[in-house]
Amino acid sequence: MLRRLLRLGLGPGLPNRGLRTRRGGFTLDWDAKVSEFKKKIECILPGKQWELLYDTSHLPPKQSDVVIVGGGILGLSVAFWLKKLESRRGAIRVLVVEQDHTYSRASSTGPSVGGIWQQFSVPENVQLSLFSINFLRNINEYLAVVDAPLVDLRFNPSGCLLLASEKDAATLENNVKMQRQEGAKVCLMSPEQLQNKFPWINIEGVAVASYGMEDEGWFDAWSLLQGLRRKVQSMGVLLCQGEVTRFITSSSQAETSSGEPVVLRRIHKVHVKMDKSLEYQPVECAVVVNAAGAWSGKIAELAGIGKGLPGTLQGTKLPVEPRKRYVHLWHCPQGPGLETPLVADINGVYFRREGLGNKYLGGCSPTEVQSAWAGYYDYNTFDQNGVVGPHPLVVNMYFATGFSGRGLQHAPGIGRAVAEVVLEGQFKTIDMSPFLFTRFYVGEKLQEFIIL
């Protein structure tokens, strides 16, 4: 029967689709044609599957060692470091799931501060900045891809200038002392010194200023994102456009050290819903990384996090939600020149130069409003600091979120920290223990006061 079908399919009635020879005739690749047609016939014979007649190229794989929820700069950084630190090439299969491949709601697509500075109030944030600036300065040692253009971040090393009134002067001075101890090159400036260096500044109400003399400025966020995407794909990371809608978990009973009964959960499958479709693909996995940015709180809820009695570890939510982020762009013909730094006050109002045509952009830190115009911050309502590392009860979910606007500049260090704890069970380059989820349960805030 098969031979008869093959004769019918490949007989004289077929259109001539061969390759034209130099003499004007045609030749058919008979072996390839027969093989292709035989596969199509075999898949419809009794007892056979229809898989060959159904295109599955748009679906994620059925198994992956690590599923990263969120394909922004943080998620891609985690993917990069997982592959960079793997014991051998191809040892770890990594899948990144991103709902919006246009990144239309991401802060890296529109006007973005794109800043990097070391002037923070938490030592670990200073360490993250120092790690990241080294990464950015040597970007093509990390992200170069053979036969592809080099990554150009258009880094502008103009520094960051932080202003404080009399009320906040002591806080700023203490921050600078700590920053210097961590290795940052930051100086304090009096109003008179400030006026001499930047004559265009109105120093009324300014008691003291701090200025980053090295390794501060701003860069193109979109170029970093695209560079990371291209690099991780070259390393074998799979990227999928879809939405994570469900986790399949198993559970067991346990107790905390204080005797509180808890339910331990482990994620075994992630359901990925395809874009503009009711279709979904279950993906078996060993580890899930929640890098979903402003929507990471909802992803945590899907895994059962926070669904317990208030005041218990089981009922402790991930306090990360979207916050409005306004960035304004304006033109000022008589504005300050090319040596203008990123200028901010200690309460989070900022501006910087944009390009060469007397244009400037600026804004302020997020407010209580939860809608957005230009982009979203993954705002941590508890202490405005990031969440890094494993969840204590959903034992194979790890976090890389909640940095309240600093995720862009700290992504290289955060990505490495998450990869280290996934692969080796501990932080090695920078101790990120203060950023663990458990602080929300015990009520210990890691307060960051400098938020732009």
Side-chain angles (χ1 to χ4, degrees), residues 138-146 148-151 227 230-231 234:
N138 300 284
I139 192 69
N140 284 295
E141 292 184 18
Y142 292 103
L143 300 188
V145 175
V146 176
L150 295 177
V151 179
R230 186 178 64 189
K231 181 62 176 181
S234 75

Side-chain angles (χ1 to χ4, degrees), residues 91-146:
I92 305 170
R93 193 172 197 184
V94 179
L95 170 67
V96 177
V97 181
E98 169 58 44
Q99 188 173 0
D100 178 19
H101 274 191
T102 67
Y103 299 96
S104 59
R105 296 182 293 181
S107 59
S108 58
T109 56
S112 172
V113 183
I116 183 164
W117 55 88
Q118 290 101 50
Q119 299 177 60
F120 292 102
S121 60
V122 173
E124 289 80 6
N125 283 331
V126 180
Q127 294 171 34
L128 283 170
S129 289
L130 292 171
F131 180 90
S132 292
I133 193 65
N134 181 69
F135 184 94
L136 296 178
R137 283 192 178 280
N138 300 284
I139 192 69
N140 284 295
E141 292 184 18
Y142 292 103
L143 300 188
V145 175
V146 176

Side-chain angles (χ1 to χ4, degrees), residues 21-22 86 88 102 111 181 205 207 209 215 217 230 236 288 301 323 358 362 393 399-400 404 440:
T21 66
R22 289 185 179 180
E86 64 184 350
R88 67 183 190 283
T102 67
Q181 290 173 345
D215 297 335
R230 186 178 64 189
V288 173
E301 289 180 4
R323 284 293 169 91
N358 293 105
L393 301 181
F399 297 107
S404 305
F440 305 136

Side-chain angles (χ1 to χ4, degrees), residues 246-253 262-270 285-286 302-304 314 393-397:
R246 187 183 180 191
F247 295 111
I248 305 298
T249 64
S250 62
S251 60
S252 60
Q253 300 293 323
V262 293
V263 177
L264 297 180
R265 296 185 182 275
R266 179 175 291 275
I267 299 170
H268 296 284
K269 288 185 180 180
V270 179
C285 61
L302 284 179
Q314 205 86 51
L393 301 181
V394 183
V395 294
N396 62 338
M397 174 172 275

